[in-house]
Amino acid sequence: MDKIIIQGGAPLNGEVTISGAKNAALPALSACLLTGGWHTLDNIPQLRDIWTIREILSNLGVVFEEHGQTLKVNSDNLNNHSAPYQLVKTMRASILALGPLLSRLGKARISLPGGCAIGARPIDLHLKGLSLLGADIRLEHGYVVASTNKLRGADIFFDISTVTGTENLMMAAVKAEGKTVLHNAAEEPEVVDLANMLNKMGARIKGAGTDTITITGVKELYPARYAIIPDRIEAGTFLTAAAITKGKVRIKGCSVDYIGAIIKKLLDSGMEIEEEGEALVAIGRDKIKPVDIKTMPFPGFPTDMQAQFMALMCIADGLSIIKETVFENRFMHVSELRRMGADIEISGGQALVRGKKNLSGAQVMATDLRASASLVLAGLAAEGQTEISRVYHLDRGYQGLDLKLSLLGSKIWREKY
Ligand code: EPZ
């Protein structure tokens, strides 16, 4: 296994380009199940989760041709409709194969994803919506066994805004007979990106990016070429890295439209962020002001940035309150940050962070993807050396984060252990 070692204290300086978004690439790859022919996806990031979904899709009969960040995908010879536990348990987003397989084959057998470090992660809203579209859904021996003769459009209301739930049902509905309306749908940019790709494939989807999405079923879909959006969470992570190291970083390839809440809160903390053409220039300041945040579905402050922002607040000049409203257990990074000297108290779904002058390097352990990023950021600022183990969590969702940081001047490297 790899560990990452960081010699803290170096201010970042230079330019970085953001990779394609993991949470747009995963549904885009799943959408290739909807119709045969060669799909071409551009700006696909090289990530562990992308390898995992490729393995799951290959297991169904999908073939790939890789050309750098461009991936060609062909599902002409789908010869299986089952996604096994040993693959699905490593990545919950595998559930995104359910809707497309039901649409294409009329059947699917997907292992229940189970929970993960940050929460129980139920899929009841996915299943309820698919039933309303006319699927027969059974839970057998830890698997979702779904089948249908025909999917018919329906009016579906999500009790909770769910990103992959919205994506799964959008994909299931594109060839259903008649009209489907998704109410209280997720508004995340990755949902919009999937709708744009599906429309390029011949689907008729309106309202993506709002809480009401209308899908009018079509008879045929066609393979398409589509470039997925940049990763807004990676962009937010680099903005925060500039702040926590009091450095200056030029960030290319991210759209300010997707990161409004992140920018607002970072500006409140005292850093400077300026648009320079297609890029953002982020400048960290000596004084970091405490800022309260509350995670919410888009366009609110994203839960996927909560751990990273907490690392910054650990060296702010005062008390900040961080409320996590999306997942019930997304404070796993707190105990590790405390090992680095952070003063954090948790009560209910919120963390009280009392900023200190600095953190001190320590041996810490990554527990989940965004917790890993939080520990990297803390290590960049800490006095002395930080060693982060189990960095396979980090590699699930960041393409070469340590390499990109070292190119920006941080003293960071990997070692086997
Ligand atoms: C997506 O997960 C992202 N993953 C997550 O990113 C992200 O944190 C999350 O959305 C919230 O923005 C991908 O897109 C692959 P949800 P998802 O369904 O879709 C509850 C990362 O770090 N819920 O929007 O699984 C659920 O428990 C990952 O990149 C139900 O109760 O999240 C949670 O409390 C982590 N029943 C809330 O909704 C359901 O059927 C939001 O979850 C579905 C969800």
Side-chain angles (χ1 to χ4, degrees):
M1 280 202 274
D2 285 0
K3 64 182 172 183
I4 281 181
I5 297 159
I6 304 171
Q7 198 60 40
L12 297 187
N13 208 322
E15 182 173 288
V16 67
T17 299
I18 299 303
S19 302
K22 166 176 84 81
N23 292 348
L26 295 173
L29 282 158
S30 308
C32 296
L33 289 168
L34 285 164
T35 181
W38 281 100
H39 302 256
T40 302
L41 296 177
D42 295 309
N43 205 25
I44 295 288
Q46 315 278 335
L47 301 172
R48 203 153 163 269
D49 273 9
I50 299 299
W51 283 108
T52 303
I53 197 163
R54 283 182 60 171
E55 215 176 328
I56 288 168
L57 296 177
S58 303
N59 186 50
L60 301 173
V62 176
V63 294
F64 299 92
E65 274 180 24
E66 189 169 331
H67 309 273
Q69 308 278 83
T70 293
L71 193 58
K72 297 190 73 172
V73 189
N74 185 304
S75 64
D76 280 334
N77 303 312
L78 275 194
N79 50 33
N80 182 12
H81 65 281
S82 181
Y85 173 67
Q86 69 270 21
L87 283 176
V88 173
K89 73 177 178 182
T90 63
M91 188 188 64
R92 305 186 60 271
S94 318
I95 198 66
L96 284 168
L98 184 54
L101 282 174
L102 264 178
S103 169
R104 177 83 179 274
L105 301 178
K107 58 186 178 181
R109 183 175 176 275
I110 313 271
S111 168
L112 274 167
C116 72
I118 64 176
R121 312 289 298 273
I123 58 165
D124 56 309
L125 301 177
H126 298 236
L127 304 182
K128 191 175 119 186
L130 292 170
S131 304
L132 289 171
L133 288 174
D136 174 60
I137 304 280
R138 295 205 189 102
L139 300 184
E140 291 172 4
H141 310 296
Y143 280 75
V144 174
V145 181
S147 61
T148 181
N149 294 324
K150 183 180 217 30
L151 293 173
R152 286 187 178 77
D155 228 38
I156 297 166
F157 178 81
F158 288 107
D159 299 338
I160 304 176
S161 160
T162 160
V163 174
T164 51
T166 302
E167 292 165 345
N168 229 339
L169 288 166
M170 218 158 57
M171 292 189 281
V174 286
K175 287 180 72 180
E177 187 180 77
K179 186 167 87 167
T180 297
V181 183
L182 304 181
H183 300 277
N184 195 23
E187 303 179 25
E188 271 69 6
E190 293 76 24
V191 171
V192 177
D193 212 37
L194 176 63
N196 291 340
M197 175 184 167
L198 292 169
N199 283 339
K200 223 178 160 187
M201 291 167 60
R204 289 175 57 197
I205 301 172
K206 287 193 175 11
T210 74
D211 63 1
T212 306
I213 300 177
T214 302
I215 303 116
T216 306
V218 295
K219 290 246 180 300
E220 273 310 304
L221 291 172
Y222 311 94
R225 176 158 201 160
Y226 191 75
I228 60 156
I229 53 173
D231 195 314
R232 61 193 169 101
I233 303 303
E234 185 188 17
T237 304
F238 275 103
L239 286 168
T240 311
I244 206 168
T245 62
K246 304 173 175 40
K248 179 175 179 179
V249 180
R250 191 165 189 279
I251 300 169
K252 288 173 64 181
C254 71
S255 161
V256 290
D257 302 342
Y258 307 148
I259 54 175
I262 300 169
I263 289 176
K264 170 77 180 73
K265 290 297 183 177
L266 285 170
L267 289 174
D268 288 351
S269 77
M271 79 176 297
E272 283 176 47
I273 301 173
E274 280 135 26
E275 287 187 66
E276 203 182 80
E278 288 293 296
L280 281 179
V281 177
I283 304 168
R285 292 293 176 216
D286 279 345
K287 184 171 160 43
I288 298 167
K289 296 177 202 159
V291 176
D292 297 346
I293 61 165
K294 180 178 177 182
T295 66
M296 293 295 281
F298 193 87
F301 189 90
T303 174
D304 291 350
M305 272 299 299
Q306 178 257 106
Q308 298 92 310
F309 196 83
M310 186 184 288
L312 179 64
M313 291 298 103
C314 288
I315 58 169
D317 186 13
L319 173 71
S320 52
I321 299 172
I322 294 181
K323 289 191 179 116
E324 172 57 58
T325 72
V326 178
F327 291 111
E328 67 271 26
N329 188 38
R330 204 169 197 174
F331 284 144
M332 303 282 281
H333 42 287
V334 168
S335 50
E336 300 305 301
L337 289 170
R338 282 183 184 137
R339 286 181 48 69
M340 298 176 73
D343 180 351
I344 306 170
E345 186 192 326
I346 295 180
S347 65
Q350 63 183 26
L352 307 178
V353 184
R354 287 179 183 78
K356 299 178 74 173
K357 189 153 174 21
N358 212 336
L359 297 172
S360 59
Q363 288 176 306
V364 291
M365 185 176 75
T367 51
D368 58 85
L369 168 54
R370 306 304 174 181
S372 323
S374 171
L375 297 174
V376 169
L377 293 176
L380 293 177
E383 280 159 5
Q385 184 161 296
T386 297
E387 277 192 19
I388 306 169
S389 59
R390 301 190 179 181
V391 291
Y392 55 83
H393 289 292
L394 188 76
D395 296 335
R396 291 190 52 178
Y398 287 92
Q399 179 174 325
L401 182 65
D402 44 322
L403 180 63
K404 289 179 179 177
L405 287 168
S406 64
L407 292 173
L408 287 171
S410 76
K411 297 184 185 61
I412 181 171
W413 64 95
R414 272 180 197 244
E415 285 181 10
K416 295 280 177 206
Y417 71 97

